[in-house]
Amino acid sequence: MKTLVLEKDKIRYTGTNPPMFQKYYRKTQNTNNPMLKAIYKTLFRITRNMRGIEISDKTEIGPGLYIGHAFGITINEKSKLGANINIHKGVTIGQENRGIRKGVPSIGNRVWIGINSTIVGKITIGDDVMIAPNTFINCDVPSHSVVFGNPCVIKHKENATEGYINNIVVEDE
């Protein structure tokens, strides 16, 4: 249920709450009242700009979003991110405008994205994937993988995000 998404996001933050821009991001998406939507959207823009966050209220992100050190993050509005995603500062999830990978990424569930990582193009990242800091990804990544480097090196690992993605929320309630 849409109204529970913000509550699910809160579960991921132990002892604190999600950043203000994340609260307004979810409230903007979840209200049908035009006046409230305009207010939430304005507050969302103000609070995200304070942290140098480029994310649209139209971006599809599943429940359980966790943003650690929310500064300098760019996410293309057409990208799709699954549930229980961890995103850290300096991350770019962007569009490629030409070539065989023209388009935006689709990211699965339980994905940990390290500091200053870049994910571009029409690629698919599976479930249970750990992306090491400073990694550049422009190719498909199968589920249960650890990815590092530039060009990216992919290593299979069962439970790749175990110990990194805590307080996992149930996706289908």
Side-chain angles (χ1 to χ4, degrees):
M1 187 180 241
K2 278 180 118 176
T3 57
L4 296 176
V5 176
L6 178 58
E7 296 306 313
K8 288 183 177 185
D9 287 352
K10 288 179 183 178
I11 292 169
R12 299 287 318 284
Y13 291 83
T14 55
T16 61
N17 284 314
M20 290 302 289
F21 76 88
Q22 188 172 338
K23 290 179 187 178
Y24 294 126
Y25 162 75
R26 294 300 192 188
K27 288 183 177 199
T28 299
Q29 290 181 321
N30 293 335
T31 188
N32 292 324
N33 180 317
M35 181 63 85
L36 275 178
K37 190 175 219 56
I39 292 168
Y40 289 147
K41 198 170 199 171
T42 300
L43 291 170
F44 169 60
R45 286 181 180 155
I46 291 167
T47 55
R48 78 170 183 197
N49 290 343
M50 290 170 50
R51 299 217 178 188
I53 305 292
E54 292 181 55
I55 183 173
S56 169
D57 60 308
K58 295 177 184 96
T59 305
E60 291 181 42
I61 302 176
L65 173 64
Y66 178 86
I67 299 177
H69 307 290
F71 291 94
I73 296 170
T74 301
I75 301 174
N76 185 285
E77 74 175 16
K78 296 175 187 164
S79 299
K80 292 187 174 131
L81 286 72
N84 297 300
I85 302 286
N86 282 40
I87 299 174
H88 297 278
K89 72 178 181 177
V91 166
T92 299
I93 300 172
Q95 178 172 315
E96 204 165 296
N97 293 321
R98 59 193 161 280
I100 60 172
R101 288 182 295 273
K102 181 178 179 179
V104 295
S106 177
I107 299 174
N109 302 317
R110 295 177 327 280
V111 176
W112 188 92
I113 306 171
I115 294 170
N116 297 325
S117 294
T118 300
I119 304 165
V120 294
K122 187 176 181 178
I123 61 169
T124 301
I125 295 178
D127 299 336
D128 183 39
V129 173
M130 175 180 280
I131 300 169
N134 300 311
T135 298
F136 176 78
I137 301 175
N138 67 347
C139 61
D140 289 342
V141 177
S143 295
H144 312 293
S145 298
V146 175
V147 187
F148 54 93
N150 178 11
C152 67
V153 176
I154 302 169
K155 300 285 184 181
H156 174 78
K157 182 178 185 209
E158 289 297 321
N159 302 313
T161 58
E162 186 175 26
Y164 286 86
I165 301 202
N166 298 319
N167 306 320
I168 293 174
V169 300
V170 178
E171 299 157 34
D172 302 310
E173 275 188 12

